[in-house]
Amino acid sequence: GGGGMASPGHRDAPELPDFGLLKRLARDQLVYLLEQLPGKKDLFIEADLMSPLDRIANVSLLKQHEVDKLYRVEAKPARSSSDQLCFLVRPRIRSVKFVADIVNADKVAGRTRKYKIIFSPQKFYTCERILEEEGIYGDVTWDEWSFYLLPLDDDIISMELPEFFRDYFLEGNQCWISTVSQALQLMSSLFGPFTRTYGIGRCAKMVHEIWREIVEESEGDSLGRKPEIGQVFLMDRDVDYVTALCSQVVYEGLVDDTFRIKCGKLLGPEPKWPPSDLPPRGRPGVELLVGHSARGQRPPPGQEHAGRAPQFISVLCRECGLWPRCHVL
């Protein structure tokens, strides 16, 4: 899921909340969780958490907190030689079984290690059940990384839960409803109580009801705070399937349709820069073409109509000293 706010370029638009606070909180909590396993350790990361993690904590930060090697959670056997293993995973059955295979293989080999599972954004009951069924419940410690919301830009926030649509709307699984409610509570506690909340659809109604229960249990979290977010709209995807299938006419949409943009970054072939022809300010790539945060008063090129964007980007490339090395898509 994601959310959009008023553009700071509009004169009458209120100042946007500092959504960078969400990143800083997520980073601090991750560091705290890693330090719960003192000493050198190897970190296994689930594939779809890599891009969000890259926007929160870089490799150097992980190294500062004694992460030795990084591995991807995948089907092939892990070959870590560390005595401490940490797993950053989604609360999925296959991810827990991946951990169980490593722990049980160590038992067979007579090897003793420490194992810590960090579930993001939360742990489900099914995860505990799998740990018990696999016979490793007492061999691992676990925690939750409450990473509910990722700011992709000044005015865009995403939950980065691609499976929500499939799980809820196709399979009728309501496990993520509480996750969305917790995300709403996080926003409310950080940026003050919402002035008004609107909802359309059954899912939106359940999210709101659970969120209100959380608010009542944690009364006082946002007391005294000035509301920075006025109105919240919760809309079920099945209220409007058509919009998601319409062709995008802005440049960023064209790039997304062609290469795909995930977690605010362009997927696909990276530009090939000759060693002697590197851009003066590092790789421009994605940020120059579709990024919004550094736009200042200029409207972002990604929001230009696809027909006008090439000319707009050519001007931008010249201003940045990249022309003629910048190739406009």
Side-chain angles (χ1 to χ4, degrees), residues 168-169 197-208 232-240:
Y168 179 80
F169 291 103
T197 308
Y198 303 90
I200 303 176
R202 183 168 172 264
C203 180
K205 185 174 185 293
M206 287 191 291
V207 166
H208 184 266
V232 173
F233 296 86
L234 306 171
M235 291 175 282
D236 285 17
R237 177 76 274 173
D238 62 359
V239 172
D240 176 25

Side-chain angles (χ1 to χ4, degrees), residues 164-237:
F164 184 97
F165 178 83
R166 182 199 64 224
D167 287 353
Y168 179 80
F169 291 103
L170 300 183
E171 299 179 3
N173 188 338
Q174 300 177 4
C175 62
W176 295 110
I177 299 293
S178 63
T179 307
V180 181
S181 303
Q182 291 285 357
L184 275 177
Q185 175 59 14
L186 176 62
M187 291 281 284
S188 176
S189 63
L190 292 179
F191 305 112
F194 306 137
T195 306
R196 191 161 299 202
T197 308
Y198 303 90
I200 303 176
R202 183 168 172 264
C203 180
K205 185 174 185 293
M206 287 191 291
V207 166
H208 184 266
E209 289 174 349
I210 295 176
W211 170 58
R212 291 308 307 169
E213 291 177 5
I214 298 173
V215 170
E216 291 173 7
E217 292 174 2
S218 55
E219 198 67 50
D221 278 5
S222 58
L223 286 180
R225 286 185 173 273
K226 180 182 177 182
E228 296 185 63
I229 299 175
Q231 300 170 345
V232 173
F233 296 86
L234 306 171
M235 291 175 282
D236 285 17
R237 177 76 274 173

Side-chain angles (χ1 to χ4, degrees), residues 37-84:
L37 197 62
K40 282 196 171 184
K41 50 195 161 282
D42 286 352
L43 178 62
F44 290 78
I45 308 172
E46 192 143 1
D48 65 354
L49 278 172
M50 285 185 165
S51 292
L53 179 63
D54 188 46
R55 299 183 71 98
I56 296 295
N58 54 30
V59 174
S60 61
L61 179 69
L62 298 178
K63 296 287 186 183
Q64 288 173 22
H65 298 280
E66 300 186 280
V67 173
D68 188 22
K69 295 179 181 178
L70 298 173
Y71 296 90
R72 180 181 298 209
V73 173
E74 51 193 358
K76 63 182 181 181
R79 300 182 180 276
S80 171
S81 58
S82 176
D83 289 331
Q84 297 194 116

Side-chain angles (χ1 to χ4, degrees), residues 275-301:
S276 60
D277 203 27
L278 286 172
R281 298 196 307 188
R283 281 180 47 221
V286 180
E287 278 69 26
L288 191 65
L289 294 180
V290 300
H292 304 177
S293 300
R295 60 180 176 246
Q297 298 302 314
R298 180 191 295 277

Side-chain angles (χ1 to χ4, degrees), residues 254-261 266-269 329:
L254 181 63
V255 172
D256 183 39
D257 286 342
T258 307
F259 298 105
R260 193 173 171 226
I261 297 172
L266 179 66
L267 302 181
L329 298 174

